[in-house]
Amino acid sequence: MTASVLTPAQNSVITSVSGFQFSTSSLTQAEVLQLKADFPVLAETVNGKSLVYLDNGATTQKPWAVINRLNQFYAHENGTVRRGVYKLAEGATTAFDAVREQVAGFINAKSSTEIVFVRGCTEAINLVATTFGKAHLQAGDEILVTAMEHHANFVPWQQVYLERGCTLKVIPMSDAGELDMQAYAHLLQSGKVKLVGVIHVSNVLGTINPVAEMAKMAHAVGAKILVDGAQSAPHMPIDVQALDCDFFTFSGHKLYGPTGVGVLYGKYEVLETLPPYQFGGDMIDVVSLEKTTFLAPPLRFEAGTPAIAQVIGLGTAIGYLQAIGLERIALYEETLRQQATDALLAIEGLTLYGQAKHKAAVCSFLLEGIHAFDIGTLADLEGIAIRTGHHCAQPLMKRLNVSATARATFGFYNTHEDIDRLVVALHKVIKLCK
Ligand code: 7TS
């Protein structure tokens, strides 16, 4: 049996991923191939080789369903939202509003009023850092983030703490890439922590952090918690009520949807305490020369014309994922992670960064004596797209004592053969660079 083939028995043995218990089985390789055919880019050739796309952590490819929905909207339905009485505007408003409901269902929010549309995960976190900072942070307060944050969940908090005279503290991690929960408990004991920011799935290490437990601990000392779900929402079922997080953020383009749209979930009672982020049309109640009153959430946070087509396209992407089933996707990607981990560790001179017990399909690595950029460039010659660099996580790179890594990140359309191709390419890289 080659590594590319999983028997049905192997497919169904995995019943738990990151604490979720599933009764469903993984996607079969035949199903994956069928789904892959929905993504036109994946049929492209690069440098004369069929494309193997392994940079899903950066952005994902789009299925025809999403591409066609965007075309359909712009060709036949284009209109503005919330301000027209004519058919096109009403139709666009109905379609736009329906996605807010759909997103609420997708992450199990209590209500669609807890869903704010933003430009992406980065904007979602900036929105929270800025408005939460204004409303709730004062000199002496503490913000906690982890040692493995993406810059998107680090730099905004750094700006806020500098502006407001707070303190920013870092929850340390082990060499395997697991958070030190004892240190976290200790940090919370100061009694000054107001906000915890944590990456749900590390974009470098793949670690799946215990965010439900972290939320419970944060709440016990009166702190709020923001979960950066950029790398989790596309790959596993999300239930914000079960996680009990105060904020959850993700990007459309990493979820097989369009760029330019993302989601900020906030518990309604928390969103209500926050001032507006930006000002202008669509977020106001009454404007006079002297003063302005603002709408309630979520519209309070959506100044100006939103990304209408992108929101509608995001709805299509979510529908596409739901039709497959996020549980099945998580189970299948776990088989990719296992295969990739075993295959990479078998390569002499390869160091794999991130070996947490609970891990998603993210593999960061280096080959002894070879720069990450050379690995990426030579892999591209083989038609393989992987990311190289610091992955917008420079403090983490420092912790790992490297300046850059190569990184393969998987999506449900990746096949076991893709991993075989990566391994062959890496052996070629080693030969060339010796
Ligand atoms: N948070 C995490 C965990 C991320 O991985 C990223 C993007 C972001 C936030 C920012 O998302 P954006 O859509 O607002 O840009 N991560 C990556 C990556 O790993 N490679 O390219 C982008």
Side-chain angles (χ1 to χ4, degrees), residues 57-58 120-122 150 152 199 203 228 230-231 251 253-254 387 407:
C121 192
T122 301
H150 185 280
I199 193 165
N203 64 317
D228 172 353
Q231 301 291 347
S251 287
H253 72 99
K254 293 188 200 288
R387 182 160 174 206
R407 184 191 69 175

Side-chain angles (χ1 to χ4, degrees), residues 55-59 119-125 148-153 198-204 228-232 249-254 259-262 362 387 390-393 407 409:
D55 197 15
N56 296 285
T59 199
R119 223 161 30 86
C121 192
T122 301
E123 186 173 59
I125 300 169
M148 60 180 91
E149 295 309 316
H150 185 280
H151 294 161
N153 200 26
V198 56
I199 193 165
H200 194 180
V201 169
S202 164
N203 64 317
V204 176
D228 172 353
Q231 301 291 347
S232 62
T249 60
F250 63 93
S251 287
H253 72 99
K254 293 188 200 288
T259 48
V261 61
V362 172
R387 182 160 174 206
H390 55 60
H391 314 292
C392 300
R407 184 191 69 175
T409 46

Side-chain angles (χ1 to χ4, degrees), residues 268-288:
Y268 193 79
E269 62 272 23
V270 182
L271 286 180
E272 257 188 323
T273 68
L274 304 181
Y277 178 51
Q278 293 179 332
F279 302 87
D282 255 10
M283 51 75 74
I284 55 88
D285 179 22
V286 179
V287 181
S288 69

